[in-house]
Amino acid sequence: MVHIRPRLAVSSCLLGQSVRYDGRHKRHDWLVDTLGRCVDFESLCPEVSIGLGIPRGPLHLTGDSEHPRVCAVTSPDRDVTAALQAEGRAVAATLGGVAGYVFKSRSPSCGLSHVSVLTETCEVVRNGRGVYARTIQEACPHLPVEEESRLDDAALRENFVNRLYTYQRWLTLSDEGLSAPRLLDFHARHKYLLMAHSPDGCRRLGRLLSRLRDVDLLVLAKEYLAGLMRALMLDSGTTRHFNVLQHISGYLKQRIAASDESKLVAVLEAYRHGEVPLAVPVMCLRRHIHCCPDEYIGKQWYLWPYPDELELRDHL
Ligand code: SF4
Protein backbone atom coordinates (compact mmCIF):
# COMPACT_ATOMS: atom_id res chain seq x y z
CA MET A 1 0.00 0.00 0.00
CA VAL A 2 1.43 3.40 -0.95
CA HIS A 3 1.51 6.12 1.70
CA ILE A 4 1.59 9.74 0.65
CA ARG A 5 4.22 11.58 2.65
CA PRO A 6 2.40 13.90 5.09
CA ARG A 7 3.49 17.42 5.92
CA LEU A 8 3.80 17.77 9.68
CA ALA A 9 4.00 21.13 11.46
CA VAL A 10 6.33 21.01 14.48
CA SER A 11 7.49 23.48 17.12
CA SER A 12 10.94 24.47 15.84
CA CYS A 13 12.71 23.80 19.14
CA LEU A 14 11.68 20.11 18.92
CA LEU A 15 13.52 19.82 15.61
CA GLY A 16 16.77 20.86 17.27
CA GLN A 17 16.64 24.52 16.29
CA SER A 18 18.05 26.81 18.98
CA VAL A 19 15.08 29.17 19.18
CA ARG A 20 14.08 28.90 22.84
CA TYR A 21 14.16 31.87 25.18
CA ASP A 22 17.51 30.67 26.56
CA GLY A 23 19.03 30.12 23.12
CA ARG A 24 18.76 26.35 23.42
CA HIS A 25 16.59 23.69 21.80
CA LYS A 26 14.57 20.65 22.94
CA ARG A 27 15.33 18.20 20.14
CA HIS A 28 13.00 15.20 20.21
CA ASP A 29 15.06 12.31 18.86
CA TRP A 30 12.22 9.99 17.82
CA LEU A 31 10.43 12.80 16.04
CA VAL A 32 13.51 13.88 14.10
CA ASP A 33 15.31 10.58 13.53
CA THR A 34 12.41 8.16 13.04
CA LEU A 35 9.23 9.99 12.07
CA GLY A 36 11.36 12.45 10.09
CA ARG A 37 12.17 9.67 7.60
CA CYS A 38 8.49 9.44 6.63
CA VAL A 39 7.15 13.02 6.83
CA ASP A 40 8.12 16.52 5.68
CA PHE A 41 8.49 18.96 8.54
CA GLU A 42 7.10 22.47 8.65
CA SER A 43 9.12 24.19 11.38
CA LEU A 44 7.26 26.92 13.28
CA CYS A 45 8.28 29.08 16.23
CA PRO A 46 5.61 31.66 17.03
CA GLU A 47 7.69 33.62 19.53
CA VAL A 48 10.46 34.18 16.99
CA SER A 49 7.88 34.92 14.28
CA ILE A 50 6.36 37.76 16.30
CA GLY A 51 9.77 39.35 16.58
CA LEU A 52 11.02 38.22 19.99
CA GLY A 53 14.76 37.70 19.85
CA ILE A 54 16.99 34.78 20.77
CA PRO A 55 17.77 34.75 23.61
CA ARG A 56 14.85 36.62 25.16
CA GLY A 57 13.27 36.99 28.55
CA PRO A 58 11.03 34.03 29.48
CA LEU A 59 7.24 34.29 29.12
CA HIS A 60 4.50 32.82 31.27
CA LEU A 61 0.71 32.55 31.41
CA THR A 62 -1.01 34.85 33.89
CA GLY A 63 -4.51 35.75 35.00
CA ASP A 64 -7.68 33.76 34.39
CA SER A 65 -6.59 30.17 33.77
CA GLU A 66 -9.40 29.68 31.21
CA HIS A 67 -8.26 32.69 29.17
CA PRO A 68 -4.77 33.57 30.37
CA ARG A 69 -2.49 36.20 28.95
CA VAL A 70 1.14 35.68 27.91
CA CYS A 71 3.45 38.15 29.59
CA ALA A 72 7.17 38.49 30.21
CA VAL A 73 8.13 37.00 33.59
CA THR A 74 10.34 39.93 34.53
CA SER A 75 8.25 42.72 32.91
CA PRO A 76 4.57 41.88 33.50
CA ASP A 77 3.52 44.88 31.36
CA ARG A 78 5.04 43.25 28.31
CA ASP A 79 1.96 41.38 27.04
CA VAL A 80 2.33 39.42 23.78
CA THR A 81 -1.08 37.68 23.86
CA ALA A 82 -2.57 39.56 20.91
CA ALA A 83 0.57 39.11 18.82
CA LEU A 84 0.59 35.34 19.44
CA GLN A 85 -3.12 35.08 18.64
CA ALA A 86 -2.61 36.99 15.39
CA GLU A 87 0.32 34.73 14.54
CA GLY A 88 -1.82 31.65 15.27
CA ARG A 89 -4.57 32.89 12.94
CA ALA A 90 -2.07 33.70 10.19
CA VAL A 91 -0.37 30.30 10.46
CA ALA A 92 -3.70 28.43 10.64
CA ALA A 93 -4.62 29.94 7.27
CA THR A 94 -1.54 28.25 5.75
CA LEU A 95 -2.10 24.78 7.24
CA GLY A 96 -4.51 23.54 4.56
CA GLY A 97 -2.09 20.92 3.23
CA VAL A 98 -0.62 20.00 6.63
CA ALA A 99 -1.76 16.70 8.17
CA GLY A 100 -0.78 17.23 11.81
CA TYR A 101 1.00 19.43 14.33
CA VAL A 102 3.35 18.46 17.17
CA PHE A 103 3.62 21.16 19.82
CA LYS A 104 6.18 21.69 22.57
CA SER A 105 4.61 20.78 25.89
CA ARG A 106 4.41 23.17 28.86
CA SER A 107 5.16 26.26 26.75
CA PRO A 108 2.98 29.36 27.36
CA SER A 109 2.80 29.72 23.59
CA CYS A 110 2.82 26.13 22.27
CA GLY A 111 1.65 23.86 25.14
CA LEU A 112 -1.62 22.02 24.53
CA SER A 113 -2.52 21.28 28.15
CA HIS A 114 -1.34 21.45 31.76
CA VAL A 115 0.65 24.64 31.20
CA SER A 116 1.34 26.56 34.42
CA VAL A 117 -0.70 29.73 34.94
CA LEU A 118 0.06 32.34 37.60
CA THR A 119 -3.38 33.44 38.76
CA GLU A 120 -4.41 36.85 40.10
CA THR A 121 -4.18 35.41 43.63
CA CYS A 122 -0.55 34.38 42.97
CA GLU A 123 -1.36 30.70 42.84
CA VAL A 124 0.19 28.47 40.18
CA VAL A 125 -2.36 26.18 38.54
CA ARG A 126 -1.42 23.70 35.87
CA ASN A 127 -4.46 23.72 33.63
CA GLY A 128 -3.49 26.31 31.04
CA ARG A 129 -3.13 26.05 27.30
CA GLY A 130 -0.59 27.92 25.21
CA VAL A 131 -2.18 30.95 23.58
CA TYR A 132 -0.80 30.25 20.09
CA ALA A 133 -1.68 26.53 20.28
CA ARG A 134 -5.23 27.35 21.38
CA THR A 135 -5.67 29.71 18.41
CA ILE A 136 -4.45 27.02 15.99
CA GLN A 137 -6.78 24.42 17.51
CA GLU A 138 -9.77 26.74 17.35
CA ALA A 139 -9.07 27.55 13.69
CA CYS A 140 -8.30 23.91 12.68
CA PRO A 141 -10.47 21.80 15.03
CA HIS A 142 -9.96 18.49 13.18
CA LEU A 143 -6.22 18.75 12.60
CA PRO A 144 -4.43 15.94 14.53
CA VAL A 145 -2.32 17.55 17.24
CA GLU A 146 -0.07 16.19 19.96
CA GLU A 147 2.61 17.28 22.42
CA GLU A 148 6.08 15.77 22.20
CA SER A 149 5.99 14.61 25.85
CA ARG A 150 3.08 12.27 25.07
CA LEU A 151 4.90 10.79 22.08
CA ASP A 152 7.11 8.90 24.52
CA ASP A 153 4.15 6.63 25.31
CA ALA A 154 3.90 3.84 22.71
CA ALA A 155 0.08 3.80 22.55
CA LEU A 156 -0.27 7.60 22.35
CA ARG A 157 2.49 7.77 19.75
CA GLU A 158 0.74 5.16 17.60
CA ASN A 159 -2.58 6.91 18.04
CA PHE A 160 -1.16 10.21 16.81
CA VAL A 161 0.62 8.71 13.80
CA ASN A 162 -2.53 6.80 12.89
CA ARG A 163 -4.54 10.06 12.92
CA LEU A 164 -1.80 11.86 10.98
CA TYR A 165 -1.86 9.34 8.11
CA THR A 166 -5.65 9.09 8.10
CA TYR A 167 -5.92 12.87 7.89
CA GLN A 168 -3.42 12.82 5.02
CA ARG A 169 -5.65 10.34 3.18
CA TRP A 170 -8.55 12.72 3.78
CA LEU A 171 -6.53 15.61 2.31
CA THR A 172 -5.75 13.43 -0.72
CA LEU A 173 -9.44 12.60 -1.12
CA SER A 174 -10.29 16.32 -0.97
CA ASP A 175 -7.54 17.17 -3.48
CA GLU A 176 -8.76 14.51 -5.91
CA GLY A 177 -12.28 15.88 -5.68
CA LEU A 178 -14.85 14.82 -3.14
CA SER A 179 -17.79 12.83 -4.51
CA ALA A 180 -20.36 10.52 -2.97
CA PRO A 181 -18.77 7.31 -4.38
CA ARG A 182 -15.30 8.40 -3.21
CA LEU A 183 -16.56 9.19 0.28
CA LEU A 184 -18.28 5.79 0.49
CA ASP A 185 -15.08 4.09 -0.69
CA PHE A 186 -13.04 6.07 1.87
CA HIS A 187 -15.33 4.88 4.64
CA ALA A 188 -15.31 1.28 3.43
CA ARG A 189 -11.51 1.22 3.44
CA HIS A 190 -11.35 2.68 6.96
CA LYS A 191 -14.00 0.44 8.44
CA TYR A 192 -11.70 -1.85 10.43
CA LEU A 193 -9.40 0.97 11.45
CA LEU A 194 -12.44 2.73 12.91
CA MET A 195 -13.70 -0.45 14.56
CA ALA A 196 -10.35 -0.82 16.32
CA HIS A 197 -10.97 2.53 18.02
CA SER A 198 -14.71 2.93 18.24
CA PRO A 199 -17.24 0.38 16.95
CA ASP A 200 -19.98 2.88 17.89
CA GLY A 201 -18.26 5.67 16.00
CA CYS A 202 -17.91 3.40 12.98
CA ARG A 203 -21.63 2.62 13.03
CA ARG A 204 -22.54 6.29 13.50
CA LEU A 205 -20.45 7.30 10.50
CA GLY A 206 -22.03 4.51 8.44
CA ARG A 207 -25.49 5.85 9.36
CA LEU A 208 -24.38 9.38 8.49
CA LEU A 209 -23.34 8.23 5.02
CA SER A 210 -26.73 6.60 4.48
CA ARG A 211 -28.09 10.19 4.27
CA LEU A 212 -25.78 11.05 1.37
CA ARG A 213 -28.63 11.51 -1.08
CA ASP A 214 -30.56 13.89 1.19
CA VAL A 215 -27.82 16.17 2.49
CA ASP A 216 -25.39 18.56 0.83
CA LEU A 217 -22.16 16.62 0.21
CA LEU A 218 -19.81 19.25 1.65
CA VAL A 219 -21.90 19.64 4.81
CA LEU A 220 -22.00 15.90 5.30
CA ALA A 221 -18.27 15.51 4.58
CA LYS A 222 -17.48 18.09 7.27
CA GLU A 223 -19.58 16.17 9.77
CA TYR A 224 -17.96 12.91 8.66
CA LEU A 225 -14.44 14.29 9.19
CA ALA A 226 -15.34 15.53 12.66
CA GLY A 227 -16.74 12.10 13.61
CA LEU A 228 -13.80 10.28 12.05
CA MET A 229 -11.16 12.23 13.94
CA ARG A 230 -13.14 12.00 17.19
CA ALA A 231 -13.40 8.22 16.87
CA LEU A 232 -9.70 7.79 16.10
CA MET A 233 -8.75 9.78 19.21
CA LEU A 234 -10.18 6.99 21.33
CA ASP A 235 -7.88 4.35 22.70
CA SER A 236 -7.82 1.07 20.73
CA GLY A 237 -6.45 -1.64 23.03
CA THR A 238 -5.99 -5.40 22.78
CA THR A 239 -9.65 -6.42 22.97
CA ARG A 240 -10.73 -4.16 20.11
CA HIS A 241 -7.75 -5.12 17.96
CA PHE A 242 -8.41 -8.80 18.65
CA ASN A 243 -12.02 -8.32 17.57
CA VAL A 244 -10.92 -6.72 14.30
CA LEU A 245 -8.31 -9.41 13.68
CA GLN A 246 -11.00 -12.04 14.14
CA HIS A 247 -13.31 -10.28 11.67
CA ILE A 248 -10.57 -10.13 9.08
CA SER A 249 -9.51 -13.74 9.60
CA GLY A 250 -13.18 -14.71 9.18
CA TYR A 251 -12.96 -13.54 5.56
CA LEU A 252 -9.94 -15.73 4.95
CA LYS A 253 -11.10 -18.95 6.55
CA GLN A 254 -12.82 -20.20 3.41
CA ARG A 255 -9.71 -19.63 1.35
CA ILE A 256 -6.85 -21.01 3.40
CA ALA A 257 -5.89 -24.59 4.32
CA ALA A 258 -7.16 -25.98 7.65
CA SER A 259 -3.59 -26.21 8.96
CA ASP A 260 -2.96 -22.54 8.14
CA GLU A 261 -6.24 -21.62 9.78
CA SER A 262 -5.27 -23.27 13.06
CA LYS A 263 -1.87 -21.53 12.96
CA LEU A 264 -3.65 -18.21 12.40
CA VAL A 265 -5.95 -18.83 15.36
CA ALA A 266 -2.90 -19.63 17.51
CA VAL A 267 -1.20 -16.37 16.50
CA LEU A 268 -4.33 -14.35 17.29
CA GLU A 269 -4.57 -16.01 20.70
CA ALA A 270 -0.89 -15.32 21.36
CA TYR A 271 -1.60 -11.64 20.67
CA ARG A 272 -4.66 -11.67 22.91
CA HIS A 273 -2.56 -13.07 25.78
CA GLY A 274 0.22 -10.51 25.32
CA GLU A 275 2.77 -13.04 24.05
CA VAL A 276 3.38 -11.26 20.75
CA PRO A 277 2.84 -7.63 19.67
CA LEU A 278 0.10 -6.54 17.27
CA ALA A 279 2.57 -6.47 14.37
CA VAL A 280 2.74 -10.29 14.40
CA PRO A 281 -0.93 -11.20 13.69
CA VAL A 282 -1.16 -8.30 11.23
CA MET A 283 1.84 -9.60 9.26
CA CYS A 284 0.33 -13.07 9.35
CA LEU A 285 -2.97 -11.80 7.91
CA ARG A 286 -1.14 -9.84 5.25
CA ARG A 287 0.73 -12.96 4.11
CA HIS A 288 -2.56 -14.85 3.75
CA ILE A 289 -4.14 -11.96 1.84
CA HIS A 290 -1.13 -11.91 -0.45
CA CYS A 291 -1.58 -15.65 -1.20
CA CYS A 292 -5.42 -15.57 -1.37
CA PRO A 293 -6.37 -12.01 -2.43
CA ASP A 294 -9.67 -10.56 -1.23
CA GLU A 295 -10.50 -7.22 -2.79
CA TYR A 296 -12.43 -5.81 0.17
CA ILE A 297 -10.05 -6.94 2.91
CA GLY A 298 -6.95 -6.25 0.82
CA LYS A 299 -7.90 -2.55 0.65
CA GLN A 300 -8.41 -2.10 4.40
CA TRP A 301 -6.13 0.61 5.78
CA TYR A 302 -6.19 -1.22 9.11
CA LEU A 303 -3.60 -3.59 7.66
CA TRP A 304 -1.34 -0.79 6.37
CA PRO A 305 -2.20 2.37 8.34
CA TYR A 306 1.30 3.98 8.11
CA PRO A 307 4.78 2.97 6.96
CA ASP A 308 6.06 -0.27 8.51
CA GLU A 309 9.46 1.27 9.16
CA LEU A 310 7.93 3.27 12.04
CA GLU A 311 7.54 -0.09 13.85
CA LEU A 312 4.70 1.29 15.95
CA ARG A 313 2.80 -1.97 16.18
CA ASP A 314 5.89 -3.73 17.54
CA HIS A 315 5.12 -2.00 20.82
CA LEU A 316 1.36 -2.54 21.04
S1 SF4 B 1 7.98 26.17 22.53
FE1 SF4 B 1 7.15 27.21 20.73
S2 SF4 B 1 7.57 29.36 21.05
FE2 SF4 B 1 8.87 28.23 22.47
S3 SF4 B 1 10.81 27.97 21.39
FE3 SF4 B 1 9.58 26.16 20.97
S4 SF4 B 1 8.55 26.65 19.07
FE4 SF4 B 1 9.29 28.57 19.88
Side-chain angles (χ1 to χ4, degrees):
M1 208 71 89
V2 178
H3 293 286
I4 292 182
R5 205 174 158 87
R7 279 170 62 206
L8 177 64
V10 183
S11 294
S12 304
C13 52
L14 298 175
L15 297 177
Q17 293 169 18
S18 302
V19 290
R20 276 166 61 84
Y21 72 96
D22 56 4
R24 301 167 85 143
H25 61 76
K26 282 282 181 182
R27 188 181 196 275
H28 192 276
D29 291 344
W30 178 83
L31 199 56
V32 178
D33 299 331
T34 303
L35 190 59
R37 294 200 298 265
C38 303
V39 305
D40 290 325
F41 291 131
E42 193 92 18
S43 171
L44 294 160
C45 175
E47 292 180 16
V48 170
S49 294
I50 64 170
L52 302 180
I54 311 167
R56 55 188 173 273
L59 302 174
H60 67 169
L61 294 179
T62 62
D64 171 9
S65 66
E66 284 298 310
H67 297 283
R69 307 201 65 76
V70 188
C71 298
V73 171
T74 49
S75 332
D77 294 341
R78 181 128 197 246
D79 184 331
V80 292
T81 311
L84 285 170
Q85 286 167 335
E87 176 64 15
R89 284 192 294 273
V91 168
T94 69
L95 295 182
V98 165
Y101 201 141
V102 177
F103 290 95
K104 173 71 189 75
S105 59
R106 294 186 291 276
S107 155
S109 302
C110 292
L112 285 176
S113 63
H114 302 104
V115 182
S116 299
V117 184
L118 182 67
T119 66
E120 283 107 352
T121 53
C122 283
E123 279 175 291
V124 175
V125 294
R126 289 181 51 85
N127 63 353
R129 185 154 45 133
V131 164
Y132 165 82
R134 176 194 284 259
T135 308
I136 296 279
Q137 276 194 294
E138 286 172 354
C140 312
H142 310 309
L143 183 72
V145 295
E146 194 47 281
E147 292 185 318
E148 95 293 352
S149 57
R150 285 165 47 94
L151 293 176
D152 296 331
D153 177 289
L156 296 175
R157 175 185 290 187
E158 196 274 342
N159 184 292
F160 173 69
V161 174
N162 187 33
R163 286 185 286 129
L164 171 71
Y165 276 85
T166 304
Y167 196 83
Q168 177 56 53
R169 290 190 287 275
W170 180 266
L171 292 179
T172 305
L173 169 71
S174 306
D175 285 350
E176 287 171 350
L178 194 61
S179 66
R182 282 184 173 151
L183 184 52
L184 288 170
D185 181 62
F186 181 94
H187 181 66
R189 296 185 67 182
H190 286 84
K191 181 178 168 189
Y192 288 109
L193 201 57
L194 274 161
M195 276 179 64
H197 289 267
S198 170
D200 281 351
C202 185
R203 278 190 289 274
R204 263 198 301 278
L205 290 172
R207 279 199 298 275
L208 178 68
L209 293 184
S210 70
R211 291 165 38 211
L212 256 173
R213 284 200 192 143
D214 315 320
V215 183
D216 178 82
L217 179 63
L218 289 180
V219 172
L220 189 133
K222 210 170 162 188
E223 206 178 318
Y224 181 87
L225 176 62
L228 173 73
M229 299 319 293
R230 229 182 357 255
L232 294 181
M233 289 268 304
L234 298 174
D235 189 17
S236 38
T238 305
T239 306
R240 287 201 174 134
H241 278 299
F242 180 72
N243 186 31
V244 169
L245 295 168
Q246 274 194 313
H247 267 87
I248 294 176
S249 61
Y251 273 89
L252 301 172
K253 277 184 181 160
Q254 311 296 327
R255 299 157 182 253
I256 60 179
S259 57
D260 284 339
E261 188 188 330
S262 53
K263 280 186 209 155
L264 183 57
V265 169
V267 170
L268 262 59
E269 284 299 327
Y271 166 67
R272 184 152 76 118
H273 292 106
E275 293 156 18
V276 295
L278 179 60
V280 174
V282 169
M283 287 306 283
C284 202
L285 286 171
R286 280 200 214 170
R287 267 200 299 276
H288 286 304
I289 290 163
H290 184 70
C291 297
C292 317
D294 179 290
E295 203 193 333
Y296 177 64
I297 291 298
K299 283 166 62 179
Q300 286 298 321
W301 284 112
Y302 178 81
L303 294 164
W304 291 270
Y306 34 69
D308 286 346
E309 65 182 286
L310 295 174
E311 299 179 345
L312 298 168
R313 286 176 164 177
D314 291 5
H315 307 283
L316 293 185

